[in-house]
Short mmCIF file of all heavy atoms in Angstrom, two decimals:
data_model
loop_
_atom_site.label_atom_id
_atom_site.label_comp_id
_atom_site.label_asym_id
_atom_site.label_seq_id
_atom_site.Cartn_x
_atom_site.Cartn_y
_atom_site.Cartn_z
N ARG X 1 -0.91 -169.37 38.94
CA ARG X 1 -0.62 -168.17 38.28
C ARG X 1 0.73 -167.63 38.76
O ARG X 1 0.98 -167.61 39.98
CB ARG X 1 -1.63 -167.06 38.54
CG ARG X 1 -1.49 -165.75 37.80
CD ARG X 1 -2.65 -164.87 37.82
NE ARG X 1 -2.49 -163.80 36.86
CZ ARG X 1 -2.33 -162.60 37.13
NH1 ARG X 1 -2.28 -162.21 38.42
NH2 ARG X 1 -2.17 -161.69 36.17
N PHE X 2 1.53 -167.16 37.89
CA PHE X 2 2.84 -166.60 38.21
C PHE X 2 2.77 -165.07 38.15
O PHE X 2 2.06 -164.48 37.34
CB PHE X 2 3.91 -167.17 37.27
CG PHE X 2 4.06 -168.65 37.37
CD1 PHE X 2 3.46 -169.47 36.45
CD2 PHE X 2 4.71 -169.18 38.41
CE1 PHE X 2 3.53 -170.88 36.58
CE2 PHE X 2 4.79 -170.61 38.54
CZ PHE X 2 4.19 -171.44 37.66
N ASP X 3 3.62 -164.46 39.00
CA ASP X 3 3.56 -162.99 39.07
C ASP X 3 4.13 -162.20 37.87
O ASP X 3 3.72 -161.22 37.53
CB ASP X 3 4.36 -162.54 40.31
CG ASP X 3 3.60 -163.05 41.56
OD1 ASP X 3 2.36 -163.15 41.56
OD2 ASP X 3 4.34 -163.38 42.55
N GLY X 4 5.24 -162.75 37.33
CA GLY X 4 5.86 -162.09 36.24
C GLY X 4 6.60 -162.98 35.26
O GLY X 4 6.84 -164.14 35.66
N PRO X 5 6.91 -162.50 34.12
CA PRO X 5 7.61 -163.40 33.15
C PRO X 5 9.06 -163.72 33.66
O PRO X 5 9.59 -163.05 34.45
CB PRO X 5 7.69 -162.50 31.89
CG PRO X 5 7.60 -161.08 32.38
CD PRO X 5 6.75 -161.08 33.62
N PRO X 6 9.56 -164.84 33.18
CA PRO X 6 10.91 -165.15 33.58
C PRO X 6 11.92 -164.05 33.29
O PRO X 6 11.73 -163.35 32.24
CB PRO X 6 11.18 -166.42 32.66
CG PRO X 6 9.92 -166.98 32.30
CD PRO X 6 8.96 -165.76 32.25
N GLY X 7 12.81 -163.84 34.19
CA GLY X 7 13.80 -162.73 34.00
C GLY X 7 13.30 -161.36 34.41
O GLY X 7 14.05 -160.41 34.38
N SER X 8 12.05 -161.28 34.90
CA SER X 8 11.48 -159.98 35.28
C SER X 8 11.90 -159.55 36.73
O SER X 8 11.67 -158.44 37.16
CB SER X 8 10.02 -159.93 35.18
OG SER X 8 9.41 -160.84 36.20
N GLY X 9 12.39 -160.51 37.48
CA GLY X 9 12.75 -160.26 38.89
C GLY X 9 11.57 -160.55 39.82
O GLY X 9 11.71 -160.49 40.99
N LEU X 10 10.41 -160.78 39.23
CA LEU X 10 9.21 -161.05 40.01
C LEU X 10 9.21 -162.59 40.42
O LEU X 10 9.71 -163.34 39.62
CB LEU X 10 7.93 -160.68 39.31
CG LEU X 10 7.77 -159.20 39.07
CD1 LEU X 10 6.60 -158.92 38.11
CD2 LEU X 10 7.63 -158.42 40.34
N PRO X 11 8.55 -162.92 41.44
CA PRO X 11 8.59 -164.39 41.92
C PRO X 11 8.03 -165.28 40.83
O PRO X 11 6.98 -165.04 40.20
CB PRO X 11 7.66 -164.40 43.06
CG PRO X 11 7.64 -163.00 43.56
CD PRO X 11 7.77 -162.08 42.39
N GLN X 12 8.75 -166.43 40.59
CA GLN X 12 8.28 -167.44 39.68
C GLN X 12 7.87 -168.74 40.36
O GLN X 12 7.42 -169.64 39.76
CB GLN X 12 9.34 -167.75 38.65
CG GLN X 12 9.57 -166.65 37.63
CD GLN X 12 8.36 -166.37 36.82
OE1 GLN X 12 7.78 -167.22 36.13
NE2 GLN X 12 7.89 -165.13 36.88
N GLN X 13 8.02 -168.73 41.73
CA GLN X 13 7.65 -169.95 42.42
C GLN X 13 6.19 -170.13 42.43
O GLN X 13 5.39 -169.15 42.31
CB GLN X 13 8.23 -169.97 43.84
CG GLN X 13 7.62 -168.98 44.77
CD GLN X 13 8.26 -167.69 44.81
OE1 GLN X 13 9.03 -167.32 43.89
NE2 GLN X 13 7.95 -166.84 45.75
N ARG X 14 5.77 -171.33 42.55
CA ARG X 14 4.38 -171.75 42.51
C ARG X 14 3.70 -171.25 43.87
O ARG X 14 4.16 -171.55 44.93
CB ARG X 14 4.27 -173.19 42.40
CG ARG X 14 2.93 -173.71 42.06
CD ARG X 14 2.93 -175.20 41.98
NE ARG X 14 3.40 -175.64 40.72
CZ ARG X 14 3.41 -176.87 40.33
NH1 ARG X 14 3.14 -177.90 41.26
NH2 ARG X 14 3.82 -177.24 39.19
N GLN X 15 2.67 -170.59 43.76
CA GLN X 15 1.80 -170.21 44.96
C GLN X 15 0.76 -171.23 45.15
O GLN X 15 0.75 -172.27 44.56
CB GLN X 15 1.18 -168.77 44.65
CG GLN X 15 2.18 -167.71 44.24
CD GLN X 15 3.14 -167.30 45.29
OE1 GLN X 15 2.82 -167.31 46.43
NE2 GLN X 15 4.40 -167.04 44.87
N GLU X 16 -0.23 -170.91 46.05
CA GLU X 16 -1.29 -171.84 46.21
C GLU X 16 -2.10 -171.81 44.92
O GLU X 16 -2.20 -170.86 44.19
CB GLU X 16 -2.14 -171.29 47.35
CG GLU X 16 -1.53 -171.46 48.74
CD GLU X 16 -1.35 -172.95 49.10
OE1 GLU X 16 -2.23 -173.77 48.93
OE2 GLU X 16 -0.22 -173.24 49.56
N PRO X 17 -2.74 -172.97 44.56
CA PRO X 17 -3.51 -173.08 43.34
C PRO X 17 -4.67 -172.08 43.43
O PRO X 17 -5.28 -171.83 44.52
CB PRO X 17 -3.97 -174.51 43.27
CG PRO X 17 -3.82 -175.02 44.55
CD PRO X 17 -2.77 -174.27 45.26
N ILE X 18 -5.06 -171.46 42.30
CA ILE X 18 -6.21 -170.52 42.31
C ILE X 18 -7.52 -171.31 41.96
O ILE X 18 -8.55 -170.82 42.27
CB ILE X 18 -6.01 -169.32 41.41
CG1 ILE X 18 -5.67 -169.77 40.00
CG2 ILE X 18 -4.94 -168.46 41.95
CD1 ILE X 18 -5.58 -168.62 38.97
N ILE X 19 -7.37 -172.50 41.36
CA ILE X 19 -8.53 -173.34 41.06
C ILE X 19 -8.08 -174.78 41.12
O ILE X 19 -6.98 -175.11 40.68
CB ILE X 19 -9.05 -173.10 39.66
CG1 ILE X 19 -9.57 -171.74 39.43
CG2 ILE X 19 -10.12 -174.10 39.27
CD1 ILE X 19 -9.93 -171.36 37.98
N VAL X 20 -8.85 -175.54 41.77
CA VAL X 20 -8.71 -176.99 41.83
C VAL X 20 -9.98 -177.67 41.28
O VAL X 20 -11.01 -177.46 41.88
CB VAL X 20 -8.44 -177.52 43.25
CG1 VAL X 20 -8.26 -178.99 43.26
CG2 VAL X 20 -7.17 -176.90 43.84
N SER X 21 -9.89 -178.34 40.21
CA SER X 21 -11.06 -178.88 39.54
C SER X 21 -10.62 -179.93 38.55
O SER X 21 -9.48 -180.39 38.66
CB SER X 21 -11.87 -177.76 38.85
OG SER X 21 -13.13 -178.26 38.36
N THR X 22 -11.42 -180.22 37.57
CA THR X 22 -10.97 -181.16 36.56
C THR X 22 -10.22 -180.39 35.45
O THR X 22 -10.30 -179.15 35.41
CB THR X 22 -12.22 -181.80 35.83
OG1 THR X 22 -13.00 -180.76 35.15
CG2 THR X 22 -13.09 -182.52 36.77
N LEU X 23 -9.44 -181.13 34.68
CA LEU X 23 -8.66 -180.52 33.66
C LEU X 23 -9.57 -179.72 32.67
O LEU X 23 -9.26 -178.55 32.27
CB LEU X 23 -7.83 -181.50 32.88
CG LEU X 23 -6.96 -181.01 31.73
CD1 LEU X 23 -5.98 -179.93 32.20
CD2 LEU X 23 -6.22 -182.15 31.10
N GLY X 24 -10.67 -180.27 32.28
CA GLY X 24 -11.63 -179.69 31.38
C GLY X 24 -12.09 -178.30 31.96
O GLY X 24 -12.17 -177.29 31.26
N ASN X 25 -12.47 -178.24 33.23
CA ASN X 25 -12.97 -177.03 33.86
C ASN X 25 -11.90 -176.00 33.95
O ASN X 25 -12.18 -174.78 33.72
CB ASN X 25 -13.53 -177.33 35.27
CG ASN X 25 -14.88 -177.96 35.24
OD1 ASN X 25 -15.57 -178.02 34.23
ND2 ASN X 25 -15.27 -178.50 36.38
N VAL X 26 -10.64 -176.41 34.32
CA VAL X 26 -9.59 -175.43 34.43
C VAL X 26 -9.28 -174.82 33.05
O VAL X 26 -9.07 -173.65 32.95
CB VAL X 26 -8.31 -176.12 35.01
CG1 VAL X 26 -7.08 -175.32 34.81
CG2 VAL X 26 -8.57 -176.47 36.45
N LEU X 27 -9.29 -175.64 31.98
CA LEU X 27 -9.10 -175.07 30.64
C LEU X 27 -10.15 -174.11 30.23
O LEU X 27 -9.88 -173.07 29.62
CB LEU X 27 -8.97 -176.20 29.65
CG LEU X 27 -7.64 -177.01 29.74
CD1 LEU X 27 -7.71 -178.25 28.85
CD2 LEU X 27 -6.43 -176.22 29.46
N ARG X 28 -11.43 -174.37 30.60
CA ARG X 28 -12.55 -173.53 30.28
C ARG X 28 -12.36 -172.15 31.02
O ARG X 28 -12.68 -171.15 30.46
CB ARG X 28 -13.89 -174.13 30.63
CG ARG X 28 -14.32 -175.16 29.63
CD ARG X 28 -14.70 -174.40 28.34
NE ARG X 28 -14.95 -175.45 27.28
CZ ARG X 28 -15.10 -175.11 26.03
NH1 ARG X 28 -15.09 -173.87 25.66
NH2 ARG X 28 -15.37 -176.09 25.17
N VAL X 29 -11.91 -172.20 32.26
CA VAL X 29 -11.68 -170.98 32.93
C VAL X 29 -10.59 -170.18 32.25
O VAL X 29 -10.75 -168.94 32.07
CB VAL X 29 -11.25 -171.27 34.40
CG1 VAL X 29 -10.73 -170.03 35.10
CG2 VAL X 29 -12.50 -171.81 35.16
N LEU X 30 -9.57 -170.79 31.81
CA LEU X 30 -8.48 -170.07 31.14
C LEU X 30 -8.96 -169.52 29.75
O LEU X 30 -8.46 -168.45 29.36
CB LEU X 30 -7.25 -171.02 30.90
CG LEU X 30 -6.30 -171.07 32.10
CD1 LEU X 30 -5.21 -172.08 31.80
CD2 LEU X 30 -5.78 -169.74 32.49
N LEU X 31 -9.78 -170.23 29.12
CA LEU X 31 -10.34 -169.75 27.84
C LEU X 31 -11.10 -168.46 28.05
O LEU X 31 -11.24 -167.64 27.07
CB LEU X 31 -11.25 -170.81 27.19
CG LEU X 31 -10.45 -171.94 26.53
CD1 LEU X 31 -11.41 -173.03 26.07
CD2 LEU X 31 -9.70 -171.42 25.31
N ALA X 32 -11.56 -168.16 29.22
CA ALA X 32 -12.22 -166.91 29.52
C ALA X 32 -11.30 -165.79 29.76
O ALA X 32 -11.77 -164.63 29.88
CB ALA X 32 -13.27 -167.09 30.66
#
């Protein structure tokens, strides 16, 4: 997850992952 949109001045670098799982599971979490 990124802190802010590009150009907002908020960090865009990748942080630690918030979920590590299968691609299908990660997509289901995002669908929620």
Side-chain angles (χ1 to χ4, degrees):
R1 183 169 194 248
F2 298 100
D3 296 326
S8 69
L10 295 171
Q12 290 298 304
Q13 69 271 14
R14 193 183 277 182
Q15 307 295 324
E16 290 295 314
I18 56 176
I19 296 171
V20 177
S21 189
T22 65
L23 179 58
N25 284 346
V26 168
L27 291 171
R28 282 290 171 190
V29 168
L30 278 178
L31 284 170

